[in-house]
Amino acid sequence: MSQETPSGKVYFVGAGPGAPDLITVRGARLLAQAHIVFHDALVHPDTLALATGAKKVSVGKRHGSPSVDQRFINRSLVEAARRHPIVVRLKGGDPSLFGRLQEEMDALQAARVPYEVVPGVTAATAAAAALGLSLTRRGTSRSVTFVTPRVGRDEAPADWATPAAAADTMAIYMGVGEAARVAATLIAGGVPPATPVAIVENASLESQRSVLTTLEALRKGIQLKPEGPALILAGRSVRALATEEAHRADPTPFRVLLP
Ligand code: SAH
């Protein structure tokens, strides 16, 4: 029996979209109890500060900078659970969306380390809240897709556009960097070029910015220089917003670029 018995448990905690008070009460409680926290790059400092007694290890993935090897993260979680009772793996937004949760759970499962997932507010719902937009709408918008066009280095490309196009509303993660191509793919897949699009950057933070435009304008290439994470929302719900916006008299926090 050479293998040590793990003593601890790993909690995958959703940190929420950015604002430190958008973490769940359960997530905040676990941070306060944690002995060690492995966190993503974009987690707010005030959120990390909730982990008063924990060693904090950044294993951040940030667009444009080299990311920590996934196998290293997996191994670190297993090793930490052998040494500490409460290990928190803090992930941006909700851990189960585009956050490599499955790989990390598989590694823990293989090492017989117990784990639990604590959900979080995902970027799409934070962006909708930022715009005062309902992602579904009775009678007109019954489906929402969470998609990403991003293909990792070790992944085979897959069709993200067909399921996106089939939904009334689409939330496109990690797509702003290639927005023109994303729009072209959706239009080629049959989505009307006039479909309203909202792009929200830094949803829930003070630095939040947004732009309302159309798929066609996005395809032609509008000036987008997001400094923080940004999400594309497109479809029927955004159409409702665009229509209302066009009739609103007071100035708004976002630019209306609709024709
Ligand atoms: N698990 C996260 C998503 C990770 S993928 C979640 O549930 O939100 C990272 C992508 O999420 C970014 O490229 C961006 O598209 C989106 N994103 C994350 N935080 C955001 C924010 N505050 N505002 C807008 N988009 C955000």
Side-chain angles (χ1 to χ4, degrees):
M1 297 301 278
S2 59
Q3 208 150 21
E4 275 175 78
T5 317
S7 60
K9 184 167 174 181
V10 176
Y11 294 87
F12 293 98
V13 174
D21 55 352
L22 278 180
I23 191 169
T24 62
V25 174
R26 186 183 297 179
R29 202 188 61 222
L30 284 163
L31 278 178
Q33 295 170 344
H35 301 98
I36 185 163
V37 177
F38 295 90
H39 63 90
D40 288 353
L42 288 174
V43 174
H44 197 284
D46 292 355
T47 305
L48 283 179
L50 297 172
T52 44
K55 183 181 173 199
K56 290 149 196 131
V57 185
S58 174
V59 289
K61 300 204 175 74
R62 200 185 176 139
H63 194 47
S65 68
S67 58
V68 177
D69 184 71
Q70 187 64 47
R71 282 162 305 181
F72 171 80
I73 299 176
N74 297 350
R75 211 167 39 235
S76 301
L77 290 176
V78 171
E79 280 166 15
R82 296 204 163 120
R83 256 179 263 135
H84 306 282
I86 300 181
V87 179
V88 168
R89 174 70 176 101
L90 192 60
K91 288 176 176 286
D94 182 273
S96 74
L97 279 167
F98 311 121
R100 302 208 174 203
L101 173 64
Q102 192 62 53
E103 282 127 290
E104 295 175 21
M105 289 193 301
D106 288 349
L108 296 176
Q109 182 95 39
R112 297 207 165 82
V113 174
Y115 59 83
E116 198 176 307
V117 181
V118 180
V121 175
T122 190
T125 51
L131 296 169
L133 167 82
S134 179
L135 287 175
T136 61
R137 193 173 258 228
R138 198 162 66 92
T140 61
S141 180
R142 291 192 167 91
S143 56
V144 186
T145 46
F146 300 104
V147 295
T148 185
R150 173 74 59 85
V151 181
R153 243 178 298 140
D154 47 348
E155 295 169 47
D159 177 17
W160 60 270
T162 306
D168 293 324
T169 306
M170 44 195 129
I172 305 172
Y173 289 70
M174 294 181 276
V176 171
E178 45 179 337
R181 198 178 64 81
V182 164
T185 306
L186 288 171
I187 291 169
V191 183
T195 300
V197 170
I199 297 169
V200 186
E201 174 192 357
N202 281 332
S204 84
L205 292 169
E206 264 176 36
S207 49
Q208 172 179 295
R209 291 192 300 177
S210 48
V211 163
L212 196 60
T213 181
T214 63
L215 215 48
E216 176 61 8
L218 205 58
R219 187 184 67 78
K220 288 191 179 138
I222 60 169
Q223 288 295 320
L224 294 168
K225 290 200 180 67
E227 284 149 23
L231 183 94
I232 304 171
L233 288 175
R236 294 209 187 168
S237 307
V238 186
R239 170 162 300 130
L241 176 78
T243 311
E244 282 158 19
E245 196 52 37
H247 293 100
R248 206 182 288 183
D250 56 336
T252 62
F254 53 86
R255 267 193 307 151
V256 181
L257 299 175
L258 275 176

